[in-house]
Amino acid sequence: MSLTEVSPAGAAEVFARRTPTVGVEEEFLLLDPDSWLNVPLSAAARAALPPAVRERSRAEFRRSMLEMVSPVCSDLPQLRRHLLENRSAAADAAAAVGARLVAVAATPVGEPDRRVADTARYHAIARHYGPIAHDPALCGCHVHVGVPDRELAIQVCNGLRPWLPVVQALTANSPFHDGADTGHASWRSIALERWPSLGPSPYLESARDYERTVDELVATGAMLDASLVLWWARPSSRYPTVEVRVSDVCPTADDAVLVAALVRALVATVAADVAAGRPAPRLPDHLLRAAHWNAAHSGLDGTLTDLRSRTARPAWELVDDLVTTVGAALDRHGDRAVVTEGLARLRTHGTGATRQRRAHAREAGLSGALAGLATATTSG
C-alpha cells in the first residue's frame, strides 16, 4: 500500500517500522588564505572537483559558497564516510584555485564581491529582495530525513517546532562578522531574520493548508515563488523528505553526523506521536521566535527556552531532555553511541562558536582561529 493512500496516523504506523534514510547538505565558504576575505571562486572550485564528486556539489546563491551534498544514506557510518569524502575533495579543489574551504556559518571578515551567482533565478531573487540579497554569505547544514507521505511530513514539521531551538543551539558556529565578535553564537540565524520566508514553520493542519499558506505568501510578495519556502523545517520541494534547515554548518563531519542522528530520531519520535494520536503543541509564534533568538544568542553557554514549561532553563538540561525524548528512536536506529560520544565531545570542547572564540583568544586574533577552523573542516 502506498503511504499516500492512508491517513497521517496510518502512514506513521508504517513509517515506525522502518529506519528512515538520512542525507545532509553542507554549505562552505571559500576564503582567501591571507586576508580571510570571501573570494568568488565557487565556479572554479566546482570545476576542480573530481567528476564523481562534482555530481554531489551544487551552485549556490553566492559566488563565495560551495555546497556539497551527501547521497541518501541508511546509516550513520555511511553518512560520515560521504561527508568526509565531500569535505576532503572540496578542500583540495579550493586549494587548487587559491582558496581555503572553511566550515563557518557567517562571513567572518568581509565579502568585497557580493554579486549573486549568474543564473536567471538568482538574479530574480536579488531584484525582488534588494539589499538583503547582497548581505555577506551565510552557510547552513540541512538534514533530510526520508518521509514519503506528504501529509505525515506536515504533521512531523508541526511536532519538530518545540525542539528545533535546541538543535539550533547545538550547532551554533558563527560568532564573528565584519572581523569582530557579534555577541551571538549564531550570527547566521540573526542575519537570516531579514528574509521574510525564513524562520520557524507555522503550525499547519494539512498538505492543503500548506499549499494555501504558501500561495498566500507568494501572492503578498513575501515569497517570490513557492520554492522559497525556507522555514527551519519543511517538506522538501525536491525529495520525499522532511528537511531541517535550522543548523549552522558544522565545524567537523562528526558534528554534522551528531546533528543528523538527533534530527532523524526527532522525526521518528514525532511520527510515533502522530501514530498514537498525540497532537503537536500549538505554540505562540512570539514565544517560538523568542526561543530561536535565545538559541542563536547563547548557543549552549547559557539558558534556552523550554517551550513546554515556557521558562528559561540551563541549555544542557534541555539537551538532556531532548536525548531522553528521542531515546527510543536512537536505540531503534542503532545511533545511541554516536549521539552519546558526540554530546560528550560538545560538553568538553563546546559548540563551534565556543571553539572559535577560544581559538581567537588563544591565537590572539581571528586569522589564527580561521586557520584552525579550516583544518578542522576536513577532520572527523
Side-chain angles (χ1 to χ4, degrees):
M1 176 183 294
S2 169
L3 292 185
T4 58
E5 297 174 0
V6 298
S7 68
E13 290 177 1
V14 175
F15 182 83
R17 296 193 289 270
R18 305 173 179 175
T19 297
T21 58
V22 64
V24 172
E25 300 168 345
E26 297 187 291
E27 298 164 344
F28 303 99
L29 283 183
L30 298 170
L31 302 183
D32 181 273
D34 296 317
S35 67
W36 298 102
L37 291 168
N38 295 21
V39 287
L41 295 173
S42 58
R46 288 189 70 207
L49 288 167
V53 182
R54 193 180 309 137
E55 294 178 359
R56 301 203 295 267
S57 71
R58 300 287 184 270
E60 254 302 335
F61 187 60
R62 302 305 290 275
R63 297 166 186 254
S64 61
M65 295 171 62
L66 183 62
E67 182 178 34
M68 302 299 298
V69 180
S70 81
V72 177
C73 298
S74 58
D75 59 54
L76 297 186
Q78 181 187 27
L79 175 65
R80 182 179 187 271
R81 183 172 66 254
H82 286 302
L83 293 182
L84 285 170
E85 288 173 354
N86 284 354
R87 286 173 173 237
S88 178
D92 288 345
V97 299
R100 295 293 298 274
L101 186 85
V102 185
V104 63
T107 295
V109 177
E111 186 165 26
D113 185 338
R114 299 189 185 183
R115 293 173 298 165
V116 301
D118 191 16
T119 71
R121 172 170 168 71
Y122 288 155
H123 286 303
I125 292 172
R127 287 193 300 271
H128 187 74
Y129 290 103
I132 64 173
H134 298 282
D135 283 348
L138 306 165
C139 296
C141 170
H142 305 159
V143 179
H144 287 259
V145 179
V147 180
D149 179 79
R150 188 76 165 179
E151 294 289 352
L152 176 58
I154 295 296
Q155 300 307 319
V156 165
C157 289
N158 288 339
L160 292 175
R161 295 186 342 142
W163 291 109
L164 290 188
V166 183
V167 175
Q168 182 179 23
L170 283 164
T171 63
N173 186 37
S174 49
F176 294 102
H177 170 69
D178 201 21
D181 194 324
T182 64
H184 297 277
S186 174
W187 181 249
R188 166 184 169 270
S189 300
I190 300 298
L192 285 175
E193 290 182 0
R194 287 159 58 90
W195 290 82
S197 56
L198 278 121
S201 58
Y203 190 103
L204 298 166
E205 300 292 345
S206 63
R208 181 174 295 179
D209 189 24
Y210 171 90
E211 293 164 2
R212 180 170 54 249
T213 300
V214 172
D215 287 344
E216 290 170 348
L217 290 171
V218 172
T220 65
M223 290 182 186
L224 178 61
D225 55 47
S227 68
L228 282 172
V229 179
L230 303 176
W231 297 322
W232 294 145
R234 66 176 186 177
S236 172
S237 59
R238 298 175 62 186
Y239 309 111
T241 65
V242 164
E243 181 184 3
V244 172
R245 306 169 52 85
V246 74
S247 301
D248 282 3
V249 65
C250 296
T252 70
D254 282 341
D255 291 326
V257 171
L258 168 64
V259 175
L262 287 170
V263 169
R264 176 163 71 167
L266 260 175
V267 169
T269 300
V270 173
D273 287 340
V274 174
R278 292 187 289 268
R282 292 177 177 264
L283 301 167
D285 287 344
H286 71 277
L287 193 61
L288 189 59
R289 288 191 173 275
H292 279 289
W293 186 92
N294 194 19
H297 180 256
S298 301
L300 296 179
D301 293 331
T303 62
L304 294 175
T305 306
D306 186 337
L307 287 164
R308 300 161 301 172
S309 63
R310 305 189 181 190
T311 59
R313 293 177 56 206
W316 276 102
E317 287 186 6
L318 278 176
V319 174
D320 290 340
D321 284 358
L322 169 60
V323 174
T324 298
T325 299
V326 304
L330 291 175
D331 292 336
R332 186 166 63 252
H333 302 159
D335 295 345
R336 170 79 71 170
V338 169
V339 168
T340 300
E341 292 168 7
L343 291 177
R345 186 173 61 251
L346 279 186
R347 285 184 187 271
T348 300
H349 300 294
T351 63
T354 301
R355 289 175 230 171
Q356 286 187 54
R357 284 171 169 151
R358 287 176 180 165
H360 181 276
R362 185 174 59 247
E363 302 293 341
L366 186 54
S367 294
L370 292 173
L373 191 55
T375 299
T377 297
T378 54
S379 68

